[in-house]
């Protein structure tokens, strides 16, 4: 978000004046070498994103309003199925002469016929040893299914008043490296056929230098990886597999503020499980309108050790600024500065599963708002539905 984050910026400046944030386990002022293009597994992500590095990450700095993202290659569309090969002509059958059977065990012919035939003894059959096959090694036992995550109870909430809490498994921090610094935004799992998509704000993931991206569900400083880490996958060229509307990249964060939404494909955790199988997911809801009587807002504010939750109604906000055209969802909730960008707007929140219907993410107008007590979201309409379907198809092609 474009909130000034005075305290957060000052804190970051105190760490490394005028430069990137420090990196744990590295020499002062240095940044760990990036992982090779195309390689970025859960184990590599966990090795890079140590608890110390995650704790030192800062909210993503504001994106300059006139900056257009350099064109990046879009993730490939699913390949068209290959035409079935013509069936091969059947091979001609060559007749094979049937050999005359040879009968054994009969007396040899004699030149002088015998008056009384001599009985032929019945040959004793020779036992033939049956070859024994070595037993096949037992198949490896399948991994046990992930245990159902424990969902912390929400604190008693007063509409419009944000409170820090222990989080929910479907929401977390999205960590990334940009320009040599370590940063984070908020994100959440969105249900998909492949069970491997995460939703956040587009302005969080802009830039060809956005690298080492990983999603950590229910991150808190006390428990930095309660459900593991899920790396945002890369293509062969080393680009993260992220879907952002091309108009947002080309027109910039203001002119295309109504498209401030991104989907990212994450790989499995270190045990091989997809993210949705581990923590569940929110259901994407589009075309639901702007006004909702009760929305649960979750995000990770600035340097707070835990995420923040708030409930309130949303209203329709239409921008009067010609530089930022469009209409947006608006919610008044206290204490949502930088770092909360990408956090979900949830309707129908289920306290048992910790999930709901996601109708927005913090972003959009002024990349989420210019005041910490009022947040905005791009409207989830037909454009966002198409972007989701494109991500689903592209993620399927990658698997």
């Amino acid at each position: 978000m474009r909130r000034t984050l005075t305290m957060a910026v000052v804190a970051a400046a105190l760490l490394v004046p005028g430069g990137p944030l420090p990196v744990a386990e590295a020499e002062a002022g240095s940044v760990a070498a990036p992982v090779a293009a195309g390689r970025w597994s859960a184990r590599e992500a966990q090795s890079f994103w140590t608890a110390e590095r995650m704790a030192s990450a800062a909210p993503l700095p504001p994106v300059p309003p006139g900056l257009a993202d350099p064109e990046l290659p879009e993730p490939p569309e699913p390949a068209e199925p290959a035409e079935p090969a013509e069936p091969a002509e059947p091979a001609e059958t060559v007749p094979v002469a049937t050999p005359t059977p040879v009968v054994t065990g009969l007396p040899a012919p004699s030149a002088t016929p015998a008056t009384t035939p001599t009985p032929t003894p019945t040959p004793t059959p020779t036992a033939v040893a049956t070859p024994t096959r070595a037993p096949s090694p037992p198949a490896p036992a399948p991994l046990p299914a992930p245990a159902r995550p424990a969902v912390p109870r929400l604190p008693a909430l007063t509409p419009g008043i944000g409170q820090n809490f222990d989080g929910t498994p479907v929401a977390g921090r999205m960590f990334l490296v940009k320009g040599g610094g370590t940063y984070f935004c908020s994100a959440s799992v969105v249900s998909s056929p492949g069970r491997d998509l995460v939703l956040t704000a587009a302005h969080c993931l802009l830039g060809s230098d956005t690298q080492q991206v990983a999603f950590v569900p229910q991150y808190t400083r006390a428990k930095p990886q309660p459900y593991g880490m899920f790396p945002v996958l890369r293509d062969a060229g080393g680009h993260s597999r992220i879907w952002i509307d091309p108009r947002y990249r080309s027109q910039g964060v203001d002119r295309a503020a109504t498209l401030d939404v991104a989907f990212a494909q994450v790989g499995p955790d270190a045990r091989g499980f997809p993210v949705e199988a581990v923590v569940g997911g929110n259901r994407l809801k589009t075309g639901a309108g702007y006004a909702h009587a009760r929305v649960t807002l979750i995000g990770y504010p600035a340097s707070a050790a835990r995420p923040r939750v708030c409930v309130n109604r949303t209203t329709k906000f239409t921008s009067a600024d010609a530089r930022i055209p469009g209409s947006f969802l608006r919610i008044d909730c206290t204490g949502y500065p930088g770092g909360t960008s990408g956090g979900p707007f949830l309707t129908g929140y289920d306290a048992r599963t910790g999930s709901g219907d996601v109708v927005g993410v913090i972003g959009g107008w002024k990349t989420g708002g210019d005041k910490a007590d009022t947040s905005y979201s791009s409207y989830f309409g037909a454009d966002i539905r198409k972007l989701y379907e494109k991500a689903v198809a592209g993620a399927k092609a990658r698997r």
Side-chain angles (χ1 to χ4, degrees):
M1 356 177 104
R2 190 178 303 144
R3 293 157 180 164
T4 55
L5 300 175
T6 304
M7 294 304 295
V9 171
V10 169
L14 290 174
L15 291 173
V16 178
L21 296 178
V23 176
E25 301 175 2
E27 295 181 1
S30 67
V31 173
V35 178
R39 291 186 59 226
W40 185 233
S41 68
R43 295 189 185 279
E44 289 166 329
Q46 288 176 323
S47 177
F48 183 87
W49 288 109
T50 61
E52 293 79 8
R53 184 170 286 153
M54 287 190 285
S56 68
L60 195 68
V63 179
L67 179 66
D69 198 36
E71 290 296 327
L72 294 176
E74 288 289 321
E77 296 291 340
E80 292 294 330
E83 293 293 330
E86 292 293 330
E89 291 295 328
E92 293 185 2
T93 303
V94 180
V96 179
T98 304
T100 304
V102 177
V103 181
T104 60
L106 297 179
S110 173
T112 304
T115 305
T116 304
T118 303
T120 304
T122 303
T124 302
T126 303
V128 179
T130 303
T132 57
R133 178 176 297 174
S136 301
L143 289 174
R148 181 176 174 179
V151 179
R153 295 182 62 181
L154 294 181
L157 297 172
T158 301
I161 306 300
Q163 293 189 49
N164 291 348
F165 78 128
D166 288 331
T168 177
V170 298
R173 273 190 180 188
M174 183 80 87
F175 291 96
L176 56 103
V177 172
K178 184 189 288 284
T182 53
Y183 302 101
F184 72 87
C185 274
S186 301
S188 60
V189 183
V190 60
S191 292
S192 67
R195 314 183 85 185
D196 57 358
L197 289 183
V198 173
L199 171 67
T200 188
H203 73 265
C204 290
L205 298 177
L206 285 177
S208 57
D209 62 339
T210 300
Q211 297 293 331
Q212 272 90 316
V213 189
F215 174 68
V216 181
Q218 201 178 339
Y219 169 87
T220 64
R221 195 167 299 165
K223 296 181 179 179
Q225 289 188 50
Y227 297 102
M229 185 175 291
F230 299 84
V232 172
L233 296 177
R234 297 174 174 177
D235 61 23
H239 300 297
S240 298
R241 294 188 60 78
I242 296 165
W243 286 265
I244 295 173
D245 192 297
R247 291 169 292 179
Y248 192 80
R249 293 188 185 278
S250 61
Q251 297 176 23
V253 299
D254 278 351
R255 192 68 189 167
T258 58
L259 301 171
D260 191 3
V261 178
F263 296 95
Q265 183 184 16
V266 295
D269 64 10
R271 297 187 302 159
F273 289 110
V275 65
E276 194 178 337
V278 177
V279 299
N282 297 313
R283 298 165 298 277
L284 181 70
K285 191 171 185 179
T286 57
Y290 295 85
H292 300 278
R294 183 181 177 89
V295 164
T296 301
L297 187 68
I298 299 172
Y300 281 80
S303 58
R306 297 189 298 163
R308 196 164 182 84
V309 64
C310 175
V311 296
N312 208 349
R313 66 190 182 96
T314 59
T315 57
K316 183 177 182 178
F317 169 80
T318 300
S319 174
D321 188 339
R323 296 168 300 176
I324 316 174
S327 295
F328 306 86
L329 279 72
R330 168 181 167 152
I331 189 169
D332 291 325
C333 275
T334 59
Y336 284 77
T340 58
S341 286
F345 285 54
L346 300 175
T347 60
Y349 181 83
D350 185 339
R352 182 180 58 88
T353 63
S355 63
D357 298 324
V358 58
V359 296
V361 295
I362 297 177
W365 189 76
K366 294 193 175 180
T367 57
D370 54 0
K371 297 178 181 178
D373 296 343
T374 300
S375 298
Y376 300 83
S377 170
S378 302
Y379 177 65
F380 279 20
D383 286 329
I384 306 307
R385 172 61 61 176
K386 290 178 183 176
L387 185 65
Y388 168 77
E389 292 171 351
K390 188 174 183 179
V392 168
K396 181 180 179 181
R398 170 62 173 77
R399 287 190 289 274

